Amino acid sequence: MSKQRLNLKTVSTLAAGITVPNYDRSAVTAGIVHLGIGAFHRAHMAVYVDDLLSKDPSWGIVGASLRRPDTKDALEPQDGLYTIAVRDAAGTHPRVIGSILKVMDANTERDALLDLMASPEVRIVSLTVTEKGYCYEPSTGELDLNHADIQHDLSNPSAPKSAPGMLVEALARRKAAGIAPFTVMSCDNLPNNGQTAKRIVTAFAAKRDADLGEWVKGVAFPSTMVDRIVPSTTDADREEVASLIGAEDAWPIMTEPFTQWVIEDNFPSGRPAFEEVGAQLVQDVEPFEHMKLRMLNGSHSTMAYAGYLGGYEYIAEVVGDEDYRELVHGLMTEEVIPTLDMPGVDLEAYRDQLLARFANPALKHRTWQIAMDGSQKLPQRLLGTIRDRLAAGQSIDRLALGVAAWMRYVMAIDEEGNEIDVRDPLALKLLAIAADAGEDPEAYFNGLVSIQSIFGTDLIDNEVFRNAVLEQLWSFWQDGAHETVANYQLSAQE
Ligand code: CS2
């Protein structure tokens, strides 16, 4: 029997004990437009906002998708309501979130969306557009003027496709109407995400028109560090949530109990009282971003590539393998923690908490999901740490293993000879390099390390980096992932 659909009419009839919005939804107005309304936003910022709407209903969210309309299709019949289902060893705990008032498809509703972004009641435009949405060079963080979407948006400024193009057009409309700018809040996993967003948006604006470029320099771009693990939703998850809540939800969001949000307190146009709902408001987010990107995401990417190649589907299985666990423990303890400057923070405790989060057996976080877009992720997750350690004359063996695992993974053939579905904006280029190199790991290494958008211009000539990564790459090539992970210390000691 098919169940009723989750929406404003049915929300009061859900199974007993399900937490639902505790505010009058009809009184909530839009104060935030969020670009990139994917699963991460719905498990993170939208939950913090849901927690504060009973005190201040002027901060509802209108979400926008820049690429696919799938979130709009799922949430429109549900009046924007959806479930987050928190998973731990004790079970799955659903809660209905109401902070997303509606979802707009930037492709079909572009003008209406830009007008909304330009309206005075919208005071924050937040972003989770993923690394590639910034249309930048990952190694330098500079706007990529050759990017097809940037070229399109410079020629068609009032009908933009890219996130920088949308932000600048909305800001231009505000400027023309004499309305103060909104604050741009990046919630992506980039170091200095506020500064990065600012660099890209101001560069794009200045390219459009010098006056606009100057005006945009006055916009606030607070940095934030965001953290919550959000595996993709499966059909089995949908069924479980439907039976728990007593209604169909086309797109529930599965997540872990842990959540963290550190925000730079720089909102000249006003902000919700995020500190009252668990966020940390600080003056400088950068140390937190380094900590999270290098510890959590650096470990994640290493486990994703080496784990996938070792035949593991989920992160919990990877850390369940003693050799992998020891690798990641050693990576964080010996190679990452010494690069971090976090007075007053117990980094060993943070590491142990991460290992426990990775081991959450209920979470089902796919190695393949984390493996996506490695060309965009490697610089901030592994290469920054490597540079700091090389500069200090310190060893990089485990970090090099992570880089080598990525190199082996993007050959797109697994250890059984099966194809790997490599999702990456540079996938074709990576494949061409593998094809040219044939059976020669050194030629393959040389080809990859010459991609400046990933490796910059310095690492190609660094002997320590070359030797360390090549050694691990040889080992992946000849002995496979399990042996490489089990033996990295032996080879490092020789
Ligand atoms: C993961 C992150 O998919 C990935 O690349 O490393 O999304 C990770 O789960 C989050 O950053 C956790 O906050």
Side-chain angles (χ1 to χ4, degrees):
M1 195 185 69
S2 88
K3 293 197 173 66
Q4 56 182 352
R5 185 83 178 256
L6 171 65
N7 57 36
L8 282 176
K9 284 201 202 73
T10 60
V11 68
S12 54
T13 68
L14 299 183
I18 309 291
T19 306
V20 299
N22 64 348
Y23 44 86
D24 173 6
R25 188 53 160 27
S26 62
V28 178
T29 54
I32 298 170
V33 168
H34 185 81
L35 303 183
I37 186 87
F40 182 76
H41 173 75
R42 285 189 279 149
H44 192 263
M45 178 172 167
V47 179
Y48 288 83
V49 172
D50 194 67
D51 282 335
L52 56 82
L53 287 177
S54 61
K55 289 186 201 134
D56 184 351
S58 72
W59 290 107
I61 301 169
V62 172
S65 48
L66 300 183
R67 313 234 155 254
R68 290 181 305 270
D70 45 0
T71 306
K72 178 183 166 81
D73 294 346
L75 296 197
E76 199 159 61
Q78 300 180 185
D79 304 312
L81 301 181
Y82 65 95
T83 316
I84 64 156
V86 172
R87 279 188 161 148
D88 59 21
T92 303
H93 315 281
R95 162 180 172 183
V96 175
I97 303 295
S99 53
I100 298 180
L101 302 178
K102 88 175 175 178
V103 180
M104 298 176 80
D105 172 5
N107 288 307
T108 55
E109 301 168 276
R110 182 172 291 112
D111 245 336
L113 173 60
L114 286 163
D115 281 342
L116 176 67
M117 290 166 74
S119 67
E121 56 280 12
V122 168
R123 286 148 288 160
I124 296 177
V125 175
S126 51
L127 317 169
T128 44
V129 291
T130 81
E131 297 84 350
K132 57 181 181 270
Y134 288 78
C135 307
Y136 70 168
E137 293 277 332
S139 61
T140 60
E142 298 292 340
L143 181 67
D144 178 3
L145 289 168
N146 296 320
H147 193 291
D149 289 351
I150 296 300
Q151 294 199 339
H152 170 275
D153 292 0
L154 285 171
S155 319
N156 306 275
S158 58
K161 286 183 178 172
S162 71
M166 290 291 295
L167 288 167
V168 172
E169 174 59 13
L171 287 166
R173 290 185 190 194
R174 288 179 93 102
K175 178 174 181 278
I179 300 169
F182 45 69
T183 297
V184 180
M185 176 167 64
S186 166
C187 298
D188 281 293
N189 270 323
L190 315 171
N192 293 321
N193 54 11
Q195 284 305 313
T196 302
K198 179 167 190 168
R199 194 178 322 109
I200 283 150
V201 170
T202 46
F204 183 90
K207 203 76 194 160
R208 254 186 74 166
D209 141 16
D211 266 4
L212 183 60
E214 278 308 304
W215 194 76
V216 168
K217 280 189 189 156
V219 177
F221 290 80
S223 281
T224 70
M225 181 272 251
V226 294
D227 188 7
R228 195 165 209 184
I229 295 176
V230 188
S232 313
T233 306
T234 65
D235 285 341
D237 298 331
R238 284 187 184 85
E239 275 170 38
E240 186 190 358
V241 167
S243 74
L244 286 170
I245 69 170
E248 300 283 352
D249 180 343
W251 202 337
I253 303 296
M254 316 311 289
T255 189
E256 61 172 339
F258 183 91
T259 179
Q260 188 177 11
W261 197 11
V262 187
I263 306 172
E264 179 188 337
D265 200 358
N266 177 20
F267 292 81
S269 306
R271 63 164 173 83
F274 288 129
E275 71 279 14
E276 288 178 15
V277 289
Q280 291 162 260
L281 276 293
V282 301
Q283 291 310 315
D284 184 9
V285 177
E286 195 179 356
F288 293 93
E289 288 177 324
H290 274 142
M291 175 184 83
K292 192 253 168 173
L293 284 164
R294 293 181 175 193
M295 296 279 280
L296 189 159
N297 300 108
S299 301
H300 246 177
S301 291
T302 303
M303 289 190 288
Y305 300 118
Y308 185 99
L309 292 165
Y312 291 122
E313 187 174 3
Y314 300 113
I315 287 294
E317 296 171 348
V318 180
V319 277
D321 178 321
E322 225 8 84
D323 289 329
Y324 280 81
R325 189 188 162 84
E326 205 180 298
L327 166 71
V328 174
H329 185 281
L331 175 78
M332 291 195 273
T333 313
E334 308 294 337
E335 300 188 13
V336 181
I337 289 178
T339 70
L340 301 174
D341 183 17
M342 297 286 295
V345 175
D346 182 345
L347 290 167
E348 268 88 25
Y350 181 68
R351 170 203 63 205
D352 293 345
Q353 184 186 40
L354 289 177
L355 287 166
R357 289 170 63 195
F358 297 153
N360 182 340
L363 207 55
K364 301 247 182 295
H365 197 195
R366 286 200 153 73
T367 49
W368 178 82
Q369 181 184 341
I370 301 166
M372 272 185 249
D373 291 348
S375 69
Q376 316 288 302
K377 291 173 175 172
L378 238 48
Q380 58 275 17
R381 294 180 177 208
L382 295 172
L383 302 179
T385 321
I386 286 179
R387 285 195 175 89
D388 282 359
R389 291 188 64 83
L390 290 173
Q394 294 161 335
S395 64
I396 54 163
D397 300 303
R398 300 170 182 86
L399 293 156
L401 187 153
V403 175
W406 170 77
M407 291 182 165
R408 173 64 189 83
Y409 179 89
V410 298
M411 288 170 68
I413 301 283
D414 72 13
E415 293 181 4
E416 258 66 66
N418 299 316
E419 196 177 312
I420 305 176
D421 179 5
V422 174
R423 301 278 173 97
D424 194 293
L426 299 190
L428 289 179
K429 183 173 187 152
L430 300 170
L431 270 185
I433 292 172
D436 279 352
E439 296 297 309
D440 180 354
E442 189 152 3
Y444 182 53
F445 172 86
N446 287 336
L448 291 179
V449 91
S450 334
I451 305 177
Q452 292 188 1
S453 71
I454 307 174
F455 292 97
T457 50
D458 53 337
L459 292 173
I460 191 165
D461 296 323
N462 188 296
E463 282 303 308
V464 178
F465 178 74
R466 164 177 296 268
N467 292 338
V469 177
L470 253 180
E471 175 157 8
Q472 303 300 337
L473 185 59
W474 268 107
S475 174
F476 273 106
W477 208 283
Q478 285 172 339
D479 308 324
H482 275 281
E483 281 215 30
T484 303
V485 169
N487 291 338
Y488 72 92
Q489 271 168 321
L490 294 178
S491 58
Q493 279 158 14
E494 274 163 15

